[in-house]
Amino acid sequence: MTALLELFGRLVVGWIEEVGRTSLFLADTVRSAARSLPRLRLVFQQMEFVGVRSVSVVVLTGTFTGMVLALQSYYGFRKFGAESLVGTTVALSMARELGPVLTSLMVTARAGSAIAAELGTMRVTEQIDALTVMAVDPIRYLVVPRILAGLLMVPVLCVISDFVGVAGGYFVGVKLLGINSGVYVANTIKYVELMDVFNGLVKAACFGLILTAIGCYKGFYASGGAHGVGRATTEAVVLASVLILISDYFLTAIMY
Amino acid sequence: MGCPIIEFVDVHKSFRNQKVLDGLNLRIPRSKTTVIIGRSGGGKSVTLKHMIGLMRPDLGQILVDGEDIAALDGEDLDRIRRRFGMLFQEGALFDSLTVADNVGFPLVEHTALGREEIRRRVSELLRTVGLPGVEEKMPAELSGGMRKRVGLARALILEPEIVLFDEPTSGLDPIMADAIDRLIRDTQAESGRTYVVISHDIRATFEIAHHIAMLYEGRIIAEGSPDEIRRNPNPILAQFLRGTADGPIQVQ
């Protein structure tokens, strides 16, 4: 019994420690960014890595998500003759929910993991110490550009995802399932408001912040050689994905 | 010794429950090469990291020209750090940058020099460390010894007053190790800078040191010129210099 309590206690203390360290890390980052902005070249490099190079994977997942949504909702709606609402369903689901969430999960898998692995390797090979020793703030040099890139580029990717999702839905709904094109487009425009898209983009920005911050944090405090870098990478992907899904609920609850 | 450039006053440091520095007192003489010897895992690296503020003591002071860096933060600590250069054990080169960008990195960050001038200085320093023409290579294409020499060039490019070396010859073949030792000796003699080297290579130590300090169980148990160290009767020091497993130092 005491052993169980002890284990529980250690888990809670460890968890609180982790939350504390993450908060300090974020506070450091904000302070660093506020004092002086990082070199633009570094930010652009990261925007290219996090954003531009994620386009293909986001286009693929977005398109097929829109397509399967159209297919599924068509089979459901056909039972009570509401096929004309397929377009609305696809567009609303993409803009509010699936665009931001799927985009961020894909970027987490692609860029969040790479950030954790890169910073982790820099940590265990003393490259981060080398920056510190050369009086270059590693938070400002490594972390701030990556987090800014996530904050800016995930919403952009989300717009792309929304767009190709809606296009994929249109293709399946109109071309394959034969819903009337005019009705499909009219219902989409009628029921989807700009606020829906906008709220989705706010979500995407939050998720972009989460996935880059977690990737940086896990990499920055990696220890224990190659094994440690591997562990940091896994933890970054799992933790960021879980936090994205949890915060998605709360963001939705606040927004709508 | 004159006025030391770096001084440790009663420095304590523990990790979890393990005491690494146990009331360390150490004075690093100015404009000389000091070698700190001791067993692997005996706190040499930790000592070096305290000198440049990569670690902070639990207790005690670390004075650089009389200023306690354990109490400094942010900008103030960076101001002190700009007086230092450091060569890391594996070189710690940035593997996303070319050799030239690595060596020129401190210049780009801390000076307003133009691209041409930086290139010129980098090439000159690379020639000094015996690596002409490697500017465009990536660190992954270099051997261990070459990486250390590039690391040395990067540590020297801002012409720091104090240069720290973390095991400069570990993991190198004897010939490359000797080449690095010579480089350390020659660049020190030429510049008159303060060098602090940590090492467990006895032969190299006597070759480059003006001053030697032996770190054992978190304290300095012997220090002095190479001759004084050779004559020192301390049995722990004697065993370490002999390099045998028999004696007061227990092998676990």
Side-chain angles (χ1 to χ4, degrees), chain A residues 39 126-127 132-134 141, chain B residues 52 81 93 95 105 110:
Chain A
R39 284 167 194 278
E126 298 187 306
Q127 293 177 51
T132 309
V133 163
M134 286 188 263
Y141 190 81
Chain B
I52 197 162
R81 280 181 180 138
L93 302 178
D95 38 32
F105 187 86
H110 294 306

Side-chain angles (χ1 to χ4, degrees), chain A residues 102-119:
Chain A
L102 284 178
T103 302
S104 341
L105 289 180
M106 293 317 289
V107 178
T108 303
R110 227 204 104 259
S113 59
I115 288 172
E118 189 182 0
L119 264 56

Side-chain angles (χ1 to χ4, degrees), chain A residues 77-159:
Chain A
F77 288 165
R78 194 175 51 179
K79 291 180 183 158
F80 40 93
E83 292 97 327
S84 61
L85 286 177
V86 166
T88 319
T89 311
V90 171
L92 273 182
S93 315
M94 285 308 297
R96 286 182 168 202
E97 196 56 49
L98 293 169
V101 171
L102 284 178
T103 302
S104 341
L105 289 180
M106 293 317 289
V107 178
T108 303
R110 227 204 104 259
S113 59
I115 288 172
E118 189 182 0
L119 264 56
T121 305
M122 291 187 75
R123 166 61 73 194
V124 302
T125 57
E126 298 187 306
Q127 293 177 51
I128 292 183
D129 283 345
L131 280 173
T132 309
V133 163
M134 286 188 263
V136 174
D137 177 6
I139 299 260
R140 178 167 168 252
Y141 190 81
L142 298 171
V143 175
V144 175
R146 285 171 171 77
I147 292 185
L148 277 180
L151 206 57
L152 295 171
M153 292 312 276
V154 176
V156 174
L157 291 169
C158 178
V159 170

Side-chain angles (χ1 to χ4, degrees), chain B residues 44-62:
Chain B
K44 300 191 303 290
S45 277
V46 172
T47 305
L48 207 65
K49 285 178 178 166
H50 276 82
M51 286 181 197
I52 197 162
L54 278 176
M55 287 184 183
R56 281 167 192 280
D58 298 334
L59 209 68
Q61 289 182 309
I62 295 145

Side-chain angles (χ1 to χ4, degrees), chain B residues 183-225:
Chain B
L183 204 53
I184 291 174
R185 205 176 42 206
D186 295 347
T187 52
Q188 198 280 334
E190 194 188 320
S191 63
R193 292 183 186 126
T194 304
Y195 277 17
V196 183
V197 182
I198 61 175
S199 178
H200 48 225
D201 181 343
I202 301 302
R203 186 194 55 79
T205 298
F206 282 100
E207 212 144 282
I208 59 177
H210 301 120
H211 187 80
I212 298 173
M214 164 99 188
L215 182 66
Y216 183 69
E217 295 193 335
R219 294 160 189 249
I220 299 297
I221 57 160
E223 63 177 316
S225 69

Side-chain angles (χ1 to χ4, degrees), chain A residues 3-237:
Chain A
L4 205 68
L5 273 175
E6 208 178 291
L7 179 74
F8 180 71
R10 208 170 321 127
L11 279 177
V12 171
V13 169
W15 184 75
I16 291 174
E17 257 178 32
E18 182 90 357
V19 171
R21 277 210 309 179
T22 317
S23 314
L24 285 177
F25 181 74
L26 277 178
D28 266 357
T29 307
V30 172
R31 201 174 318 133
S32 232
R35 198 166 50 215
S36 57
L37 281 176
R39 284 167 194 278
L40 278 181
R41 186 178 54 84
L42 294 173
V43 180
F44 285 140
Q45 259 174 17
Q46 291 306 320
M47 283 168 75
E48 201 236 336
F49 177 71
V50 173
V52 180
R53 294 209 217 154
S54 300
V55 167
S56 52
V57 66
V58 164
V59 165
L60 266 177
T61 50
T63 312
F64 279 91
T65 306
M67 285 164 67
V68 79
L69 262 178
L71 204 57
Q72 289 282 21
S73 51
Y74 176 80
Y75 291 137
F77 288 165
R78 194 175 51 179
K79 291 180 183 158
F80 40 93
E83 292 97 327
S84 61
L85 286 177
V86 166
T88 319
T89 311
V90 171
L92 273 182
S93 315
M94 285 308 297
R96 286 182 168 202
E97 196 56 49
L98 293 169
V101 171
L102 284 178
T103 302
S104 341
L105 289 180
M106 293 317 289
V107 178
T108 303
R110 227 204 104 259
S113 59
I115 288 172
E118 189 182 0
L119 264 56
T121 305
M122 291 187 75
R123 166 61 73 194
V124 302
T125 57
E126 298 187 306
Q127 293 177 51
I128 292 183
D129 283 345
L131 280 173
T132 309
V133 163
M134 286 188 263
V136 174
D137 177 6
I139 299 260
R140 178 167 168 252
Y141 190 81
L142 298 171
V143 175
V144 175
R146 285 171 171 77
I147 292 185
L148 277 180
L151 206 57
L152 295 171
M153 292 312 276
V154 176
V156 174
L157 291 169
C158 178
V159 170
I160 297 176
S161 174
D162 288 353
F163 178 78
V164 296
V166 169
Y170 178 86
F171 173 75
V172 171
V174 175
K175 301 289 175 196
L176 297 187
L177 301 171
I179 302 172
N180 181 292
S181 158
V183 175
Y184 190 100
V185 173
N187 273 344
T188 301
I189 293 172
K190 189 170 162 197
Y191 292 109
V192 181
E193 287 167 26
L194 196 57
M195 263 329 255
D196 294 318
V197 178
F198 180 72
N199 285 347
L201 295 187
V202 173
K203 275 186 182 180
C206 292
F207 300 157
L209 176 72
I210 289 174
L211 76 93
T212 45
I214 301 276
C216 288
Y217 169 75
K218 286 290 178 189
F220 205 78
Y221 291 108
S223 63
H227 181 69
V229 175
R231 196 179 48 223
T233 309
T234 312
E235 284 177 5
V237 172

Side-chain angles (χ1 to χ4, degrees), chain B residues 7 40 42 60 102 106 115 154 161 163 172 188-189 202 206 219:
Chain B
E7 187 173 3
S40 304
N102 262 288
R115 193 175 303 214
R154 187 176 69 181
E161 294 164 64
V163 187
L172 299 180
Q188 198 280 334
I202 301 302
F206 282 100
R219 294 160 189 249

